Structure formats: structure tokens, C-alpha cells
Amino acid sequence: MNRKTLIASIFFAGASLAPLGSHVVADEQPLAGYSAESSHAERQWEEKLRAIPSPEKLRAYMEHLSARPHHVGSPYDKENAEWIAARFKEFGLDTHIEQFDVLFPTPKERGVELVEGGPRFAAKLQEPALPLDPTSGQQSEQLPSYNAYSIDGDVTAPLVYVNYGIPEDYEQLERMGISVKDKIVIARYYHSWRGIKPKVAAEHGALGCLIYSDPHEDGFYQGDVFPKGPYRSSDGVQRGSVADMPVYPGDPLTPGVGATKDAKRLDLKDAATITKIPVLPISYGDAQPLLAALTGPVAPEGWRGGLGLTYHVGPGPAKVHLKVKSNWDIKPIYDVIGKITGAVYPDEWVIRGNHHDAWVNGAEDPTAGMVAVLEEARAFGELVKSGWKPKRTILYAAWDGEEPGLLGSTEWAETHYDELRAHAVAYINSDTNGRGYLGVEGSHTLEKFSNDVAREILDPETMLSTWKRNQLHGIANAKAPEQRQEIRQRSDLRIPALGSGSDYTAFLQHDGVASLNIGFDGEDGGGIYHSIYDDFYWFTHFSDTDFVYGRALAQTGSTAVMRLADADLLPFEFGNFADTIQTYLKELKDLSQKMQDDIRERNREIEEGVFKATNDPKRPLVPPAVEAVPPHLNFAPLENAADALARSAAEYHKALDHANADGGAALAAASVAEVNHLLIASERRLTTSEGLPNRPWFKHQLYAPGYYTGYAAKTVPAVREAIEQKQWKQADEGIVVVARVLQDEAALISTAAQKLSAAH
Ligand SMILES: [Zn+2]
């Protein structure tokens, strides 16, 4: 497909299955936030921009950056930071490295033994080098497999299998009459951020926690294992942080402030995010003898993994000895920051970043994303040399210390909190990359904008726009006819909210900077995540082997940055935002209703004797207890706020239509700068200085990682989590707080609409 038909498919997205062809009109349609004239110029620069990223360069950067292990504190981590800084400088960016000093534990002693209940067995805790995978043998530089920020401990206790180790698994255990108190639990990876598993285990009184990679999730059950295929072999281990990041990310010793040289630091014993019990990750090779030694009830069907054994829950007779001890050192981290100063609005910053540190060689995570960021920086450097000047300042960042706990981005966003609150327009993040569909998550004030960008990017496999491919993929995967209808008819594809798990967290959820997270995936399976086999050999055999999706990511990221940096009027939009708030409101009301219905029904069944009648005395289950039916919550403040938002969004839309008339001359008026200030402040307005109940670091009132999910977002968390946790008073209080925030947002949008109407 050539570019003209591509744009046609973009423009007619509203009636998006309409035949392509009227591209003349499409070409004349100005970009959102641009006058006809500035749009024309912008399109030409964007064309040049997107032609620059080269797969060969992406491949060469990856080969260099992933050549040796480069975790926090390693020599190659520092070398990579310096190398990236040298490239940024060579491309023409005004570049510096910002150092922070953070708590980073590394393993000193690790041990897992089966001491009773089966043949004595000591876990290997070692991923072997493979002859055909050249970097897998760099053992002297590799960080052993471990979970960072596990507390030190030496415990021996009977073992209990807890499935994924999330709260609902413990509810099931309770029904089975099994307690994990004074036991060691073994949980499998997936279905939550890994740090949730030891947190919930400790809340239930466990003494220790093992986390293993079951082949059902990313091993032989999914496909051939490495090196024959991309999946996890029996010795592969997922490293990773287990800090309690839903409380606060970043350096555990400096919550809320930058970990600069002289920062005031907590004592290690007072750091709330270190786990309460020792944790160690193991391979399925090491987990198999432990699981095989469990007896007790057979695990419920949904708990059974892919190993060739009958999964029992225990407790025991398997008894395990677990030992974890770390060096609790302070290590330097190096954030690389490159700048192109804006020619018109130097105090308005568009920020783009990806992390550069890895657990080991990290070709996929993070290098596949990092190399796209490098190519974007090079592309912008080239355009500057050929006469382009961004209106706004552009910052390119390579963060350090993301893997242990979003350290580099969090410390930077905490250190520069006031400046970012004043100047940041948006933050665009990526982390990994692969083949498949363009994934976009983020702030809903940028939903329309991100759709517009997706319409510009060509999918390398189908030659459809990434937007079109996503739409058709959405239709293929829709669960219900209404969903399919919406995907066909709504002018924009919905984007999911951000939870956590990458460097956008501090920008969005602490500083209140509108954020997007982007990356391609969906066609590459794999099981090398956070292992020594996530390396150049694996990536160039099993992922985006010709780096065409790396190029597409660089095109996506750079287009988004350029369009934000050059716009006359920033392309924030509030119709989709207000629509999203309505969907959240409906979800919350449905949730509250469902909790009432479920509890009422269960109470009735208890009374009818359903549980007694269906209990098998040989496999007894504890009957649930009668529970008080939840009270009705007062959603009226939120309903009024959602309506106010919808009204102000419509006002803004009308003002925008007016400003776009006559070629959008009004958009060039000096007074548009004031509208932009309000638009920049619009995401800030969604935060409160008090933050969320029980976790004040998280200030955003719409988006947060779930306290018990970790990666997955909880939207309107103060209300949703209170309902889920049956804290009805807190839920009603949360409704009032969020409603006030949304009323303030509606007022800001109305003011912006009035100022925009007055611009000429
Ligand atoms: Zn990563």
C-alpha cells in the first residue's frame, strides 16, 4: 500500500470499513492541533522522520548493548550508559548523565533443599551455558538467579502449593481447610506482579516463598524450548524484583525524594517495600522434585500446571530448607538524558524514554525498545541538521535500574518533581519490542492522539496501517456482538489504562504527567524473560529477526514525539476521556451490585444447606460463613462529575471546531499558548497531594497498579479497591474525593474551551 491509500484508511476510520480511495480529501485534513498550513509542513517533516530509522542500525545497537550482562552496578551497565550518551551527543542532542545512588541487593547465599518427605535434593539454582548461544557462557558477569529485595532469611518448614499465590487462591485454600501459617509456599509465576506472591503469603503467615516457572505458562506446554524453540527450558529461571511496588516504586530507602548523594535515607529495617519473608525464584527442573514430594488434597483443576505429575497442595510431607542472603549495597545508577531545545516553547517538555539496564544480557528486555529510542534520537538529530526545529523541548531518556524497581525513572521524576509538574507535556515510554500488533496504553486525554499516530504507521507484515490491523484484530477477538459493533463504529480504538511495571509509573502516577506506553507484540511467544537466554542469539532467531518491528516502533515513538512537540494547539482531547470515565462509573456500579448479589445468593445457599449437601466427606470443604450484604453506595457525586466532564468536553470540542474553521488561523494566535498551559495541567489536575488511601506516593486518582495485582491497572483505585476489599465507608469517601477531582477537571476543560473560543 502506498502512503496515500494509507492516509485514506486513516481518515475514514470513523466509518472505517468504508472503501478506500478518497485520498485527496484525506490529505487536506489538517492534523489535530495544527492549522492547514502548519499541518502541511508537519506532514512533510514527519515523512522525512519516518524514513530514517534503519533495521541494520537497530541490529548493530542491539548487538553492542546486549554483548555483556548489564545489570545495575555491573561494569557494562555503566559502559552502556556512557555509550548511549556518546551516541546521543554524536546525533546532536545536548546530553548528560544523571547519577543516583540506590539500594541494590545482590545474592550472597542461596539455597533450596528438600530435607524431608522425599529423596533429599538440593536445587541447582543455575542456568547452564549453551554452546551455540555465545553470551550464555559469560558466567563471571551474570547475576545469579534471585529475587531482588527479598529479605534475608534461613527457614525450614513444610511446603504448600498455592497456585499463583494471589488472594483468591488463599480463599480456595481456606475452603480446603489448609493454612500456610509457618509453612513455606511454592507459587507459580504469572497472573500477578511477582512481588504480590510473597506479600500475600506473608499476610497469611507463611515463613518463606518459592516462585517457579511452570512449563504451562512459558515452557514446553507452549512450544519448543530454547535453543530448539523460544520457550523456557527446564533450567531457565525468571529473575526479578519482589519489592512491594504498589506501595511505592524506586529506591526503597528514599520514597518520594530523589536518591541523590546527600538524600536522607531510611534505615534498611524501615524500608516498607522489602519483603517480609525470604523469596527465591526457581526453574521447573528444580521445582519438580519438591512438587512431586507433596501429598494432601489434589490441586483444583485450574491449579494444575504442565509438569508430568499429579499436583497436590500439601502441606508436606515435603519439608524445605530455604536460605537467602544478600549484599545490601548502595550502587550507582546512570540515567542518560539528551535534549533538543524547543524554538518557541522551550519550557514545554515532551519526554520519551526506555530503560537500558537488564537482568542479564537483556536483548528483548529492554534492548529491543532501547534501540528504537536510539534510532529516534538519531532521526531527530538528522532533521535538526536539515533545518527542522521543534517548537517544544524534546527530552530523550535512557533509564537505569528499571528492573530492580523502576529506580532510574522514579528517582529522576522525584528529583525533578517541581520542574516536571511545571513543564512536562507528556511522557512516552517503551520497554521491550517484538513482532505483531502495536500496543498502546495510557492517558485517555491522549487516546485520540494515539489513534491518529497509529494510523500513520505501516505494519511491516500486512502493509496495513497499525491502526487498521489492530481494528481487525479487535474484531477477530471480540467476545460479544456489541463489542464488535463498537470496534467497527467508534472512530477510535480504546486504549487500556496504565497499571505499572515500567518507567511511566512515576511520571503518570506520582507527577501527573499524561503518559503513553508503546510497543509491538502478540506474535512471538517466548520463555526467556529475565533469564540468561534473553540475548542477541535468542532475539535474532526467534523474535523480530529482521528488525522491521524495531523500525516500526521507532517510527511510532518519533511520530508521537514530533507531533506533540510541533503542535500549535496540543492534541489533548476530552470526548474520549469523558466517555472512558462513564465506562469506569458503570463498572464500579456493576461491581458494587454484583458483590451484593453474590453475597445474598451465597447466604441463601448456606441457609438452604447447599454446601452441606454437596460436601464429599472424603474431600471435605469448609462451608463459607454467612456475610452481611454490602450497603448501597452513593454514586451520585461521581455521576454528577461524569456528566460535568461530558458537558465540558463537548464545549471544548465546539471551541476546537470553531478554531479549526478557515484553515485554523486561530490556532496560530498568541493566546493559544494559554490554552496549552491548561492542557498541560489537565493530567496534573487528576492527582491529589494526599494520594491514594494507604499509599500516598500514588497521587493519580484514576490510574494505579492494583495493590494486589501489581502490573494490572485499577482504575478509580480509591473506590474500586475499597469495594473489592469490602471497605464500604472508604468507598463512599473515595467517591467524594474522585468526584471533586473530576469536577475540577471539568472546570479546567471549560476554561480551556472559553480561552480557545476567544483566540483569534
Ligand atoms: Zn524492561
Side-chain angles (χ1 to χ4, degrees):
M1 191 194 289
N2 66 27
R3 193 187 119 69
K4 281 210 164 139
T5 46
L6 175 63
I7 291 177
S9 75
I10 290 153
F11 181 66
F12 289 106
S16 46
L17 293 184
L20 307 178
S22 301
H23 50 257
V24 181
V25 182
D27 263 355
E28 288 168 6
Q29 178 71 14
L31 298 170
Y34 288 77
S35 69
E37 195 187 331
S38 60
S39 176
H40 186 68
E42 174 72 10
R43 281 192 191 281
Q44 288 181 327
W45 283 117
E46 283 189 10
E47 285 282 318
K48 292 193 178 114
L49 179 71
R50 286 192 288 273
I52 295 171
S54 123
E56 293 69 34
K57 292 219 186 276
L58 293 164
R59 185 186 170 94
Y61 299 152
M62 179 181 282
E63 191 161 20
H64 182 89
L65 290 170
S66 66
R68 287 167 53 192
H70 53 107
H71 52 272
V72 167
S74 67
Y76 206 60
D77 174 76
K78 184 168 192 242
E79 275 185 47
N80 271 353
E82 285 163 354
W83 188 84
I84 292 166
R87 297 290 78 71
F88 277 4
K89 278 183 194 158
E90 178 186 302
F91 301 151
L93 279 65
D94 176 6
T95 305
H96 69 280
I97 289 181
E98 225 167 301
Q99 184 185 325
F100 297 99
D101 298 286
V102 296
L103 179 70
F104 180 63
T106 52
K108 195 159 148 185
E109 287 177 42
R110 302 171 304 145
V112 175
E113 288 170 290
L114 182 64
V115 294
E116 266 178 44
R120 209 176 164 99
F121 163 79
K124 200 153 62 164
L125 307 178
Q126 175 72 50
E127 299 175 293
L130 299 170
L132 56 65
D133 178 358
T135 61
S136 67
Q138 297 168 330
Q139 271 171 10
S140 65
E141 290 186 77
Q142 290 164 358
L143 213 40
S145 52
Y146 79 122
N147 287 133
Y149 303 112
S150 159
I151 197 167
D152 289 349
D154 188 333
V155 291
T156 303
L159 192 66
V160 179
Y161 174 57
V162 296
N163 193 27
Y164 297 109
I166 55 179
E168 64 198 67
D169 294 327
Y170 286 88
E171 284 168 26
Q172 178 66 34
L173 283 171
E174 213 166 292
R175 296 259 358 246
M176 294 164 79
I178 293 171
S179 161
V180 303
K181 188 161 186 326
D182 299 329
K183 310 288 190 298
I184 292 174
V185 304
I186 181 164
R188 49 176 167 160
Y189 267 115
Y190 288 87
H191 286 268
S192 79
W193 149 251
R194 75 181 77 68
I196 301 300
K197 300 168 197 284
K199 166 158 119 176
V200 181
E203 285 176 358
H204 287 82
L207 298 178
C209 178
L210 296 170
I211 313 177
Y212 81 105
S213 297
D214 195 286
H216 183 266
E217 269 68 46
D218 62 7
F220 60 74
Y221 186 89
Q222 300 294 336
D224 287 326
V225 303
F226 192 64
K228 187 175 175 213
Y231 288 95
R232 201 176 297 272
S233 58
S234 68
D235 292 318
V237 183
Q238 181 186 141
R239 288 157 188 74
S241 174
V242 286
D244 196 358
M245 275 189 267
V247 174
Y248 61 86
D251 176 20
L253 301 184
T254 62
V257 297
T260 52
K261 275 244 152 4
D262 309 318
K264 224 179 126 211
R265 286 177 165 76
L266 296 174
D267 274 349
L268 182 56
K269 64 173 173 31
D270 297 324
T273 56
I274 310 286
T275 64
K276 305 290 181 277
I277 56 174
V279 199
L280 206 62
I282 58 176
S283 66
Y284 56 85
D286 279 341
Q288 169 124 18
L290 309 182
L291 292 168
L294 285 174
T295 62
V298 171
E301 194 167 347
W303 289 35
R304 300 170 200 164
L307 289 169
L309 54 86
T310 301
Y311 285 70
H312 289 270
V313 177
K319 197 178 218 186
V320 167
H321 175 210
L322 164 66
K323 188 155 86 174
V324 179
K325 210 167 181 188
S326 291
N327 304 297
W328 291 90
D329 296 333
I330 303 283
K331 291 277 166 71
I333 54 171
Y334 307 98
D335 289 341
V336 187
I337 311 287
K339 182 168 84 171
I340 302 171
T341 301
V344 183
Y345 305 119
D347 290 336
E348 296 180 6
W349 304 351
V350 178
I351 308 161
R352 168 86 173 101
N354 196 104
H355 70 100
H356 69 76
D357 70 299
W359 276 118
V360 195
N361 296 72
E364 181 192 51
D365 178 9
T367 309
M370 188 62 239
V371 297
V373 163
L374 271 163
E375 264 305 74
E376 291 172 34
R378 185 176 74 85
F380 280 121
E382 300 258 308
L383 291 199
V384 168
K385 281 172 207 148
S386 58
W388 171 77
K389 286 195 185 97
K391 275 202 178 78
R392 299 184 175 80
T393 293
I394 293 173
L395 296 176
Y396 264 76
W399 309 117
D400 201 351
E402 189 269 356
E403 293 295 1
L406 322 180
L407 304 174
S409 57
T410 301
E411 298 313 319
W412 194 81
E414 289 175 343
T415 301
H416 299 284
Y417 180 81
D418 291 334
E419 293 159 90
L420 287 163
R421 298 273 297 183
H423 304 305
V425 171
Y427 173 64
I428 297 164
N429 187 69
S430 55
D431 192 321
T432 65
N433 200 52
R435 291 187 313 119
Y437 303 91
L438 173 61
V440 182
E441 311 156 284
S443 298
H444 292 87
T445 52
L446 293 176
E447 183 177 89
K448 186 171 276 301
F449 169 75
S450 70
N451 272 263
D452 286 346
V453 171
R455 290 178 179 109
E456 299 288 357
I457 311 303
L458 203 59
D459 172 67
E461 286 171 351
T462 60
M463 296 300 156
L464 298 167
S465 77
T466 58
W467 189 94
K468 190 75 205 168
R469 194 179 189 206
N470 276 355
Q471 187 204 26
L472 298 174
H473 185 233
I475 291 169
N477 288 287
K479 301 261 183 306
E482 309 80 66
Q483 215 182 337
R484 267 193 296 279
Q485 180 168 339
E486 183 184 271
I487 296 168
R488 289 187 172 116
Q489 291 180 351
R490 194 173 185 261
S491 62
D492 297 308
L493 301 174
R494 292 186 184 275
I495 62 171
L498 285 169
S500 188
S502 195
D503 292 309
Y504 50 76
T505 301
F507 289 94
L508 177 65
Q509 293 154 355
H510 188 66
D511 291 358
V513 176
S515 299
L516 294 173
N517 186 51
I518 57 174
F520 288 87
D521 70 352
E523 290 184 323
D524 300 310
I528 46 68
Y529 176 63
H530 291 184
S531 78
I532 65 169
Y533 312 114
D534 177 2
D535 58 18
F536 190 69
Y537 178 90
W538 180 90
F539 194 89
T540 53
H541 284 78
F542 297 111
S543 188
D544 179 25
T545 53
D546 49 6
F547 291 84
V548 289
Y549 278 95
R551 175 170 57 195
L553 179 60
Q555 289 169 333
T556 309
S558 61
T559 299
V561 167
M562 185 185 239
R563 212 172 265 194
L564 286 166
D566 284 345
D568 301 313
L569 176 71
L570 286 167
F572 285 77
E573 191 273 345
F574 302 102
N576 288 9
F577 175 71
D579 175 40
T580 304
I581 297 297
Q582 295 284 1
T583 67
Y584 293 164
L585 178 57
K586 181 169 186 307
E587 284 169 15
L588 292 171
K589 285 157 73 177
D590 289 350
L591 175 65
S592 157
Q593 180 69 53
K594 184 175 183 314
M595 295 209 36
Q596 289 182 340
D597 293 347
D598 288 356
I599 290 175
R600 212 177 273 122
E601 170 63 23
R602 204 172 57 206
N603 287 349
R604 183 177 173 175
E605 289 179 16
I606 294 168
E607 204 175 302
E608 286 170 333
V610 168
F611 295 96
K612 273 198 189 122
T614 58
N615 193 38
D616 175 351
K618 291 190 177 170
R619 295 180 192 78
L621 290 177
V622 179
V626 173
E627 228 180 297
V629 177
H632 291 285
L633 299 175
N634 178 16
F635 285 103
L638 262 186
E639 286 170 321
N640 289 325
D643 287 352
L645 260 187
R647 280 193 302 273
S648 58
E651 267 177 65
Y652 187 81
H653 189 84
K654 201 171 150 202
L656 186 58
D657 276 350
H658 182 74
N660 280 331
D662 303 324
L667 296 174
S671 55
V672 164
E674 286 176 48
V675 184
N676 284 331
H677 289 156
L678 289 166
L679 297 174
I680 290 170
S682 65
E683 197 82 14
R684 246 67 101 213
R685 202 58 71 95
L686 299 172
T687 64
T688 62
S689 54
E690 299 78 19
L692 295 179
N694 308 325
R695 38 182 183 147
W697 188 92
F698 284 90
K699 306 210 175 291
H700 207 293
Q701 295 299 313
L702 294 183
Y703 313 123
Y707 190 78
Y708 286 110
T709 61
Y711 288 130
K714 290 287 176 184
T715 55
V716 201
V719 180
R720 192 182 300 265
E721 291 196 319
I723 297 174
E724 287 171 349
Q725 291 160 26
K726 302 178 182 172
Q727 296 167 329
W728 314 116
K729 187 167 160 278
Q730 215 174 70
D732 262 332
E733 287 164 6
I735 288 173
V736 172
V737 171
V738 178
R740 197 183 61 226
V741 163
L742 293 178
Q743 290 282 6
D744 286 353
E745 180 79 352
L748 176 145
I749 297 166
S750 284
T751 311
Q754 284 152 22
K755 284 193 188 290
L756 184 57
S757 299
H760 53 76

